[in-house]
Amino acid sequence: MNLPSGLAAFDISGKTALITGAAGLLGSQHAAALAEIGALVVMSDVDAGMLRERAAGLARHYGEKIISVPMDVTDEQSIALVAREIGAVDILVNNAAVDAKVTGAGDAEFSRVENFLLAQWNGEIGVGLTGAFLCSRVFGAAMAERGGGVILNIASDLSVIAPDQRLYRKPGLAEADQPVKPVTYSVVKAGLVGLTRYLAGYWAGRGVRVNALSPGGVFNGQPEEFVARLTALIPIGRMAAMDEYRAAVQFLCSPASSYMTGQNLLIDGGRTVV
């Protein structure tokens, strides 16, 4: 088997990559990463307005390598329509998720387990985990039929560690009223790693590689107090820059990682090793 080596192994010219949740914080970064190494990138999201804005911004740099199409990952018909519209997909990046926000006493969506709404649980699991399954079933199965492809599931450092709820504490609140990172985010991200391993084994003989990327916290203008608390837990001593995962996405989606499948690549500044 003759495989490209060195920098040539990162070239995915002629490949089509579909990114879900592409209007989100990291979605456009993943799109830029894959456009940089030659792919035609299809950005998708349920938020059609924000999707158009993100795609237009990237198209100014990458031209016709960036296209966008609205898609609801929780709707099988929506996924099927996109599959028919865009044709063969060589790379699927399951990035769509609801980043459940930390809330506290008096908020409409109360974050603590004791009061967590079943509808919110179902909704967030539906986007982040069921959506990844549905997209993998449609696009991954087609890859297997054609003899190969790549699926990358975007997980989180919270796929392997629990949220440190001390990060979110507010002075003067009773314990039962303290804000917390909601349960769904960790469950979704841990589930994505499980889905990664399952699909890697399931399609191993049909040329479909499946891996997960687990980023640590990305700096996006969070309050100083929160940033200080979190960076104290990170050996490197800072949060990640927004574009700091691009090279990892390029590696995992290209022949550069041709002998890698079923793995969860943690890039978290060392947080999960201490």
Side-chain angles (χ1 to χ4, degrees):
M1 181 184 297
N2 293 320
L3 293 169
S5 60
L7 291 178
F10 287 87
D11 186 0
I12 54 174
S13 298
K15 303 294 185 183
T16 297
L18 172 66
I19 301 173
T20 71
L25 178 65
L26 289 181
S28 59
Q29 296 295 327
H30 303 331
L34 297 181
E36 281 176 358
I37 56 174
L40 170 66
V41 179
V42 181
M43 299 174 66
S44 71
D45 202 286
V46 72
D47 185 340
M50 182 59 72
L51 177 65
R52 285 193 298 270
E53 182 179 324
R54 299 280 195 192
L58 288 176
R60 286 194 286 272
H61 296 280
Y62 302 107
E64 295 180 355
K65 289 182 180 179
I66 300 291
I67 62 175
S68 65
V69 56
M71 184 173 73
D72 181 351
V73 298
T74 69
D75 184 337
E76 293 180 87
Q77 184 176 7
S78 177
I79 297 168
L81 285 171
V82 169
R84 288 196 292 271
E85 179 179 345
I86 67 176
V89 169
D90 305 289
I91 300 161
L92 169 65
V93 181
N94 284 315
N95 176 71
V98 177
D99 186 3
K101 300 303 180 184
V102 174
T103 56
D107 291 305
E109 289 187 312
F110 200 49
S111 60
R112 299 187 70 86
V113 168
E114 295 85 350
N115 300 303
F116 201 79
L117 297 175
L118 180 59
Q120 186 176 352
W121 168 277
N122 289 337
E124 292 170 8
I125 297 291
V127 173
L129 187 53
T130 307
F133 163 70
L134 292 174
C135 289
S136 296
R137 184 168 71 177
V138 171
F139 297 105
M143 292 177 194
E145 287 295 320
R146 295 194 307 272
V150 173
I151 298 174
L152 175 60
N153 294 320
I154 305 299
S156 164
D157 56 354
L158 298 185
S159 70
V160 298
I161 59 173
D164 189 334
Q165 305 293 5
R166 295 172 298 180
L167 292 170
Y168 312 108
R169 291 186 68 85
K170 301 293 184 183
L173 289 181
E175 188 63 31
D177 294 331
Q178 287 292 341
V180 296
K181 182 76 171 179
V183 61
T184 41
Y185 191 80
S186 292
V187 171
V188 165
K189 297 307 185 182
L192 280 176
V193 174
L195 181 65
T196 296
R197 292 171 180 151
Y198 181 89
L199 294 180
Y202 186 76
W203 281 320
R206 305 186 70 184
V208 179
R209 297 189 300 108
V210 188
N211 289 295
L213 172 63
S214 284
V218 176
F219 180 72
N220 187 37
Q222 293 93 337
E224 289 184 12
E225 182 181 13
F226 172 82
V227 173
R229 287 178 177 179
L230 180 54
T231 54
L233 302 175
I234 301 172
I236 284 182
R238 62 176 177 83
M239 298 178 71
M242 206 169 295
D243 62 354
E244 207 156 6
Y245 299 108
R246 285 193 188 185
V249 170
Q250 292 169 341
F251 170 70
L252 291 168
C253 291
S254 72
S257 58
S258 58
Y259 198 56
M260 181 177 176
T261 195
Q263 302 304 308
N264 180 26
L265 180 59
L266 277 153
I267 304 182
D268 61 359
R271 185 182 175 193
T272 58
V273 299
V274 294

